[in-house]
Structures are given as C-alpha cells and as structure tokens.
Amino acid sequence: MDFLKELNPQQYEAVVHTEGPVVVFAGAGTGKTRVITSRIAYLVKEKKIPPSRILAITFTNKAAGEMRERVAAMVGQSAVASRPGSGFGLGAWVSTFHSFCARVLKTDAVSFGVRPDFVIYDEDDQRRTLKDILKELRLAEDKSYRPSAVAEKINRLKDSLNDAESYALNSLNSSDVHRRIFSEIYSMYAKKLEVASALDFGDLILKVVERFRGDAALLERYQKRFDYVLVDEYQDTNAAQYYLTKYLSAGHSNVCVVGDDDQSIYSWRGADRKNISSFRSDHPSAKVVKLEQNYRSTPQILAAAVSVISNNLDRHPKSLWTQIAGGQDVAWRECDSDLEEAQAVASEIRRLVDAENIAPEKIAILYRMNSQSRLFEDALLGEGIPYRLVGSVKFYERQEVKNLIAYLRVIQNPDDEVSLKRIINVPHRGIGAVTLDKLISHARAHNLTLFQTMRISDTFGGLTAKAASRVREFADRIIKWQSESLKLTPSSLTKSIAEGSGYLAELQRENTPESLNRAANIKELVSAVAEYEELHEDPTLAGWLDDIALSSSADFSEGSANGAVLTTVHLAKGLEFDAVFVVGMEESVFPMASAFRDPSEMEEERRLCYVAFTRARRRLYASGSRFKVIYGKPTRLTPSRFVSEAFASAQKPSAGTIDESAAPPAGAVVADESAAGGVPASGRWHTGAVVRHKTFGEGVIIAVAAVDEDIKLTVRFYDGKLRKFYARYASFETIADTPY
C-alpha cells in the first residue's frame, strides 16, 4: 500500500493500531488529516473491513469533503458515501456531527420520535422564533432577554444535554425570577419547534443522545452498525458530542480520537478540551500517539509559536519540530497608531506580491475581533490589493436568498411557521401585520397551524373579504407549488417560484443597482440548486435544504476569490497561508481584557495566539500600535504579553511565567520607525535598530538625536527600561536593522 510509505513513524503507528481506543495528539501542521484518511484506507484495504462499518466524524463540511476526496483517491470512490445525507449504504460515513445526526433522524424517524419531514432551523429562524415569543410575553423591550442572548443560552443548554423539560423541572423551586422567566421562554420555544416540526442545530445531537440513553436496543443497533469510530478535532467536542461518541463506540471500543489540546479555542460555545486531555480516564488501555513533526512552518515560525504555548500550564506537553530548512525571522512592528499599523501591513503585502511573487490569496491578516477589519480593508484598497472577508455576510444569509429558501421550506413543510411568516408578504401582496396577527390569534385559539388557518381564512370573521381573499390565494399558490414539487427538479421548482411569485420581477422593476444585485443573487441561487443536482445521483428538495442548513460559517466567504484573506483567528483555524500578519497584538485586545481576571481564559487566549502563528508557512508578522481610538477616545496601549513570551530571549520562559515587559522581540526583524517621528541619523544609528549592550543586553533604539558633535541614543531594553547614551561612548553591537 503506497500510502503507508508516505507516513512518518508516528503517523504509521496511529494508522495501523486499529483495535481498541487510540488518542492521537496532533500538533499544528503535523498531518492529522492524512492519519485519519490513511487509517480509513488501511481498515478497508488491509483489514478488509466493509467501508459501511466505518464512521468518521469532523466539524466542518469542508473538512468532511476533503476527507472523502482523499479516501476515494486511496481506495476508490465506492468506499466513501457520496455526500452527507446520502444514507448508510456501502460507503464509509464521513460526516460532521450535525449531518450525521440529521441523517440518523431522517432515516430512522419513527425510532427517534420525530417526523421524517422535519426542517432544520438555522440561527436566523431561531432568533425570529424567539423574537415572537418575547413579543407574546411582553418582553420584547426588556434588554435582559435579547433574542441573540436567549438563543445562545438555549444552545449552550442543549450542548450540555439540558432540554426544556429538564430545565423547567430544575427551575420550579428557584427563587431566581430571571431563571423562571427564561424557563418559560425555553419551554415555549420547544413547543413552537414541535408544532412546526422543526429542529435546531442543538436538537439534532440532543435528540439522538437522549434516545440512545433511554433505548438500549436502539443504541445497540447503531453500535453494531459501526465497528470503527474516528473523531477529528476532538478537543472541540462539547458534552453532547462527547456522549454521542462514547455511546456509539461503547460496544467495541474501537474508537480513535484525533486533536490538539493546544488548539482548543471554542470554550465559549461549549467545547471542553478535557474531553481529549482526559481520554485515558475513560479508556485506561488507550494507545497514545503524539504527532510532533510539523510539515507546514519554518523553524523560526514554529519556535515563536512553541515559545508562546509553553507558558500554558494545563496542557499535554509536545515537542514540535520540522525538517524545513531556512526561513525568515519572525517580524515584529509596533506602530504609533492603528492607522499606521494598517498602512504598514498593506505596504508590506504589496512588497510581498511585487518583490517575492506571493499571490494575494496566499496571504492572510488575522485579528482577534471582526471590528478590527475596517482599517485594513481601507489600507488594502489604497494599495490596490484585492481581498476577501471570511465570516462576513454570506451568500446564503442574504435577505433575498433566505426569502426564496423560505418558500422552498414552506413547500417542503407548510407547518414551518417561521418561514411562512417570512414570505407571507414577500413580494408585497397586501397581507400586512394586522392580518397576520389575526391569523396567528385564530390559529392559537383553535389549536391550528398558521397554514391550516390560512386555508380557511374566508370562513371565519375578523378579516375583511379582500384580506381573506389574498390570504386564501397565497395558500392555494403554495399548494400548487407543492404539487409541482412532485414533478419538477429542485432547480426548476426554484425558478418557478422566483418567477411565479413575482419576486424576481419586482426586483427587476425597481431597477436600482441594489435591486438588480438582489435579482442576480436569486438567479445565482437557481444555479446553485442546479449544481447540487449535477453532483448527486438522487437530488431532492429535502436533501438540498438539509445541505444548506448544515453548511458551516467557514464554508462561504465574501469578496475576491483571488484576494488576501481578512478574518478572525477563530475562523482561520484549519487554514494555512504563505504569509500571515497577526495584527492588533496589544494588551486588552489580544489577549482580551476579560482574560486578565481568569487564568483559564488567559490560557485560551494563548492557545488562540498559537493557532494564529501556526497558520503561517513561510513568513510570520506580528504587529500592534501604541495608540488606538476606542469609542472615539485615543487610548494608550502596550504590546501583548504574547510578543514578549514568543521572542523576549533566546531562552524560553519557564512554564507558567508571564513576562509583562512591553519590549519587542529579541532576534526578530524590527521595523524602522523613523517615519513615525524618529530622527534618522547618518551612519549606523537609526530608530528601530536592534542593538546589544555588553551590560544591559539587547534593546531597540527608539530615538536618535544630534547633540553638538555627538549623537544621543534612547534605547528601550528588554527589561522594559529606557536608557540614554552618547554614541561615541556607547559600546553597542548592531544585531538587526532590516525594516519590517
């Protein structure tokens, strides 16, 4: 098997040890995807395991797709299920947690107590539903119960396997008024989803795990379906995902989990890194394999990243190394302002593109928060550098696209009230808020769904004859499209709705740049559905809607496909670039101020920095500014502690120590800051030069001034102190003077 020859000894060990529990600690860039795909191929080709007996789970559709492609290349397309949601057939199941559970629920709906035609609510649907609930409870104006905050809390409860019923029972005797109110909101939300035959993302896993807990026979059936379970990015699993993995593999213990506790950066959304660090507590006999050879980054980049993460105490120790030769020093620049920082980064990107022939799409600017992107966008525009924002408004979240998808969802399931309310007056058809409120009130009073009420709108009082006629006409049109859906392809149906509803014509009649762009997006959606049909043997409307609902935020991006990438560090995880700029490296920004009070949060910030640094293949730049305008006020900032941890000395700081020095990195390339107010001088002395003094060690010249016939130097040393010298008497050795 040729693919085994491409593995290093540790990767080989992780691949061929197939029986019993295995935990693989895979450092950044060490080839974990190769291990997982090779392990599947080895099971199929060498161990002769039927592919359908293998389950591999990861976190994003992109990662799952890449794994399927690699496995297919190694052992043939027939060894892999053709797509998420294609059933359990003959191929190995390579899927995300949510896609896997959605397919289980759809395939075995009766066993799990759900309707087979359930719809999946995304974040927008969830918030619309909660907004309605808050309005019903007269809490719409209470800022303690913002829909987004309530949704986040519900999601975290479901991640920890707390459904609405159990939360309500635990809240019965609570003296906390807010807890009791939230319990009522949660219960109403669960009821609305039940009426609409809808599940949100949290429900997909929760429903499966709950039923596995209560039905031993059902659990045993699924345990026997999969003889081998593999889980990628195990450090990012939450409680629900942990128990799903545990239950599925309990019958045979042939479970292999792969991850890196140093890259656990999602605790805020329920991830528990202890799931991987304590794997051996659940499986005392587990085989432990460490992947430590990095294939991505230069030695300089790797050294900086390791120096940072080594300061974390709560971690599984690893010794990353690389055989990549050469490489550039990691560069640090501290600018006077965030505007200057953005301009410096854009200027350096222009140089990399022009002088080093690095394509813009192989360059990334990474920041801690989305709000930091604006200045860098402006600076890139000024340099004429194309760019794209990852994590911005995505195609499938644009209003007109979501509206047309809502039509399709109503046709698939007319009890989907959230989608029905979204489109009842889109395009404008004279069904206003007053009419809608009356329809909803009648539905509630008579225990009907909204769509059932619309179909009999001309039989009860409260609506004018004209309003009742419009409602009934729209309901009849929905029924007509439902009939067409049995005959037309999904793309033909989508086109029929776009045209037959009058939505496309309305946008074209408006004839503004914005409306025409929206019309173009609707046409693009029809093309997207057609592409889905080309890729799947048995394309269905339900299948396409599931695929779209399960698409992760990292799967789509906005902007030039050939441009430099601007994104948060969180969204950059799993990506790699030739050159990476980690910007805004100041205390209170990266790390965030909230981490100062919580050691565990500071460790997560440090892991985030480690992730940022290890995205780089050839060049790594770190930068920050002395002043930022925050809420309209200029604010003095100091360099991030991660800068000094990474570069302060050739000797790594001991684990757990935090160097509060604001010094730039020793041995790094330091920018020439003369353009920001320093005084350039003839000869060897200039601001930004890194120098070494025989008594005080290394430092950076921050000011040069001519005094009589001498030159006065102000040097900031790495102990954080400023010292002044006359050049003729100073005993300095220049270490670096290359500008950033």
Side-chain angles (χ1 to χ4, degrees):
M1 288 174 283
D2 291 341
F3 62 87
L4 291 179
K5 298 176 182 178
E6 299 175 358
L7 305 175
N8 67 36
Q10 291 72 37
Q11 291 173 332
Y12 181 86
E13 185 179 19
V15 167
V16 302
H17 191 95
T18 57
E19 307 308 303
V22 180
V23 55
V24 180
F25 287 95
T30 56
K32 68 179 180 63
T33 302
R34 172 178 287 182
V35 165
I36 295 171
T37 53
S38 296
R39 187 176 170 92
I40 295 172
Y42 182 78
L43 286 169
V44 173
K45 295 193 73 172
E46 176 66 21
K47 306 290 287 186
K48 307 302 179 185
I49 303 298
S52 61
R53 314 294 296 177
I54 302 169
L55 171 65
I57 303 179
T58 186
F59 274 82
T60 68
N61 292 311
K62 180 181 177 183
E66 181 182 351
M67 286 185 190
R68 284 192 293 271
E69 289 176 4
R70 290 197 187 189
V71 173
M74 286 188 277
V75 294
Q77 185 64 50
S78 61
V80 190
S82 62
R83 69 173 179 92
S86 61
F88 291 99
L90 299 177
W93 187 254
V94 183
S95 173
T96 66
F97 276 102
H98 292 101
S99 294
F100 169 75
C101 289
R103 196 60 214 163
V104 167
L105 292 171
K106 291 273 188 181
T107 305
D108 211 355
V110 175
S111 298
F112 286 92
V114 298
R115 276 174 47 176
D117 62 345
F118 70 83
V119 295
I120 301 171
Y121 273 14
D122 62 13
E123 290 180 9
D124 186 60
D125 301 318
Q126 185 181 37
R127 290 179 186 180
R128 283 172 177 263
T129 303
L130 288 168
K131 189 175 180 180
D132 289 344
I133 291 170
L134 295 173
K135 184 178 179 181
E136 290 177 32
L137 294 175
R138 298 184 179 181
L139 294 171
E141 303 302 319
D142 190 333
K143 293 185 179 180
S144 301
Y145 302 100
R146 290 178 293 111
S148 58
V150 174
E152 183 68 17
K153 186 170 182 178
I154 288 174
N155 293 340
R156 297 293 76 78
L157 285 168
K158 291 184 178 183
D159 287 345
S160 58
L161 300 176
N162 281 289
D163 61 13
E165 185 178 358
S166 61
Y167 188 84
L169 288 173
N170 291 328
S171 303
L172 283 175
N173 299 318
S174 175
S175 60
D176 186 338
V177 175
H178 290 293
R179 182 183 176 95
R180 294 201 303 271
I181 292 174
F182 179 82
S183 177
E184 184 177 6
I185 296 170
Y186 193 5
S187 296
M188 289 179 67
Y189 174 72
K191 182 62 177 176
K192 281 184 178 290
L193 263 63
E194 182 182 359
V195 169
S197 186
L199 301 178
D200 61 23
F201 269 44
D203 285 326
L204 295 175
I205 302 177
L206 177 63
K207 295 288 185 184
V208 173
V209 173
E210 282 183 337
R211 191 53 64 100
F212 279 169
R213 278 181 167 178
D215 190 334
L218 180 66
L219 173 59
E220 184 180 7
R221 179 150 55 91
Y222 277 88
Q223 287 173 338
K224 289 180 177 179
R225 186 189 293 273
F226 301 109
D227 294 329
Y228 295 87
V229 177
L230 298 85
V231 183
D232 187 21
E233 302 286 8
Y234 195 63
Q235 78 282 350
D236 292 333
T237 53
N238 57 38
Q241 293 159 342
Y242 164 81
Y243 280 106
L244 178 64
T245 304
K246 182 177 181 178
Y247 291 157
L248 285 172
S249 61
H252 47 69
S253 292
N254 293 330
V255 55
C256 174
V257 301
V258 182
D260 182 7
D261 55 331
D262 286 337
Q263 296 187 73
S264 179
I265 57 175
Y266 296 111
S267 65
W268 49 275
R269 68 180 190 194
D272 187 351
R273 55 188 297 275
K274 288 184 170 55
N275 289 345
I276 189 168
S277 60
S278 61
F279 183 80
R280 293 191 71 184
S281 298
D282 289 337
H283 304 280
S285 63
K287 173 75 172 177
V288 179
V289 180
K290 293 183 184 181
L291 303 184
E292 297 174 314
Q293 182 177 357
N294 178 283
Y295 293 92
R296 177 186 301 154
S297 305
T298 65
Q300 296 89 336
I301 293 169
L302 207 56
V306 169
S307 287
V308 172
I309 200 63
S310 296
N311 284 273
N312 274 2
L313 294 175
D314 187 13
R315 61 185 292 264
H316 199 91
K318 303 169 209 66
S319 300
L320 292 186
W321 59 279
T322 182
Q323 288 184 330
I324 297 173
Q328 301 273 352
D329 286 333
V330 175
W332 158 255
R333 176 165 184 159
E334 185 183 19
C335 301
D336 275 347
S337 69
D338 48 0
L339 178 60
E340 180 191 329
E341 180 188 11
Q343 292 170 339
V345 168
S347 177
E348 177 64 6
I349 290 176
R350 170 51 65 196
R351 191 193 67 78
L352 291 175
V353 172
D354 293 344
E356 298 190 23
N357 294 317
I358 299 179
E361 62 267 24
K362 294 183 179 180
I363 301 172
I365 300 174
L366 307 183
Y367 34 78
R368 181 64 182 83
M369 299 171 290
N370 267 316
S371 58
Q372 294 172 258
S373 72
R374 182 182 61 84
L375 289 174
F376 296 94
E377 291 182 63
D378 291 346
L380 291 173
L381 285 172
E383 288 285 349
I385 300 168
Y387 70 89
R388 61 189 176 104
L389 282 169
V390 175
S392 63
V393 178
K394 300 173 284 293
F395 178 79
Y396 289 99
E397 290 183 1
R398 294 171 186 169
Q399 179 180 325
E400 61 279 3
V401 174
K402 288 189 72 70
N403 286 343
L404 203 53
I405 290 174
Y407 269 96
L408 294 169
R409 288 172 57 163
V410 169
I411 290 165
Q412 176 68 20
N413 174 17
D415 292 339
D416 179 1
E417 185 172 302
V418 168
S419 295
L420 188 54
K421 287 193 294 186
R422 183 183 186 107
I423 63 171
I424 196 168
N425 201 38
V426 176
H428 179 74
R429 54 176 60 92
I431 304 176
V434 173
T435 299
L436 180 58
D437 286 343
K438 289 179 179 180
L439 289 168
I440 292 172
S441 295
H442 186 85
R444 301 287 186 270
H446 295 82
N447 198 30
L448 299 171
T449 67
L450 177 58
F451 187 71
Q452 289 171 335
T453 304
M454 290 170 60
R455 294 192 66 184
I456 59 170
S457 59
D458 53 358
T459 66
F460 65 89
L463 295 182
T464 66
K466 183 178 290 187
S469 175
R470 288 168 177 166
V471 171
R472 180 59 188 267
E473 182 181 344
F474 181 56
D476 290 342
R477 184 164 290 187
I478 293 294
I479 294 171
K480 174 178 174 288
W481 280 321
Q482 283 183 310
S483 177
E484 286 185 4
S485 71
L486 302 176
K487 307 171 187 176
L488 298 177
T489 63
S491 62
S492 296
L493 177 65
T494 306
K495 183 178 180 181
S496 175
I497 294 168
E499 295 174 352
S501 66
Y503 193 27
L504 185 60
E506 181 182 83
L507 292 172
Q508 291 171 332
R509 277 196 307 270
E510 189 176 334
N511 199 32
T512 65
E514 182 180 3
S515 70
L516 293 177
N517 185 57
R518 289 183 174 182
N521 286 334
I522 287 179
K523 293 178 180 178
E524 181 62 26
L525 180 65
V526 176
S527 299
V529 182
E531 288 176 8
Y532 160 83
E533 292 167 357
E534 290 291 326
L535 293 172
H536 301 93
E537 294 178 4
D538 184 26
T540 64
L541 176 60
W544 184 79
L545 289 171
D546 285 351
D547 280 3
I548 294 304
L550 292 165
S551 296
S552 70
S553 63
D555 289 335
F556 305 99
S557 61
E558 182 72 35
S560 170
N562 297 319
V565 170
L566 280 75
T567 188
T568 63
V569 181
H570 280 103
L571 288 179
K573 188 170 180 292
L575 305 177
E576 57 184 69
F577 305 90
D578 283 352
V580 170
F581 294 78
V582 185
V583 300
M585 295 204 69
E586 305 105 5
E587 291 288 283
S588 298
V589 177
F590 195 4
M592 298 183 74
S594 58
F596 297 166
R597 301 181 298 274
D598 185 346
S600 64
E601 189 175 341
M602 182 59 75
E603 292 214 344
E604 179 139 336
E605 290 288 300
R606 192 172 281 112
R607 291 193 292 271
L608 198 58
C609 180
Y610 172 78
V611 168
F613 283 7
T614 53
R615 299 312 91 201
R617 287 190 288 252
R618 293 166 48 187
R619 301 292 298 271
L620 174 62
Y621 301 80
S623 63
S625 58
R626 298 184 184 92
F627 289 93
K628 265 185 168 64
V629 177
I630 301 176
Y631 297 117
K633 180 181 178 182
T635 304
R636 182 75 165 95
L637 299 170
T638 58
S640 168
R641 66 190 65 196
F642 303 148
V643 173
S644 56
E645 287 176 3
F647 312 118
S649 66
Q651 181 179 0
K652 294 178 186 176
S654 59
T657 62
I658 295 178
D659 186 350
E660 296 289 352
S661 168
V669 178
V670 181
D672 182 347
E673 295 171 322
S674 60
V679 180
S682 59
R684 58 187 294 200
W685 309 117
H686 59 86
T687 57
V690 185
V691 295
R692 180 184 291 117
H693 189 274
K694 64 180 181 181
T695 302
F696 302 113
E698 295 178 2
V700 177
I701 298 175
I702 65 169
V704 180
V707 179
D708 296 329
E709 295 181 356
D710 205 346
I711 295 173
K712 189 177 183 179
L713 308 174
T714 303
V715 180
R716 180 168 55 198
F717 287 91
Y718 294 159
D719 61 4
K721 295 181 180 180
L722 295 178
R723 297 181 176 91
K724 297 181 180 181
F725 305 84
Y726 284 102
R728 71 170 65 181
Y729 303 114
S731 177
F732 283 127
E733 173 190 355
T734 302
I735 298 174
D737 61 2
T738 305
Y740 163 48

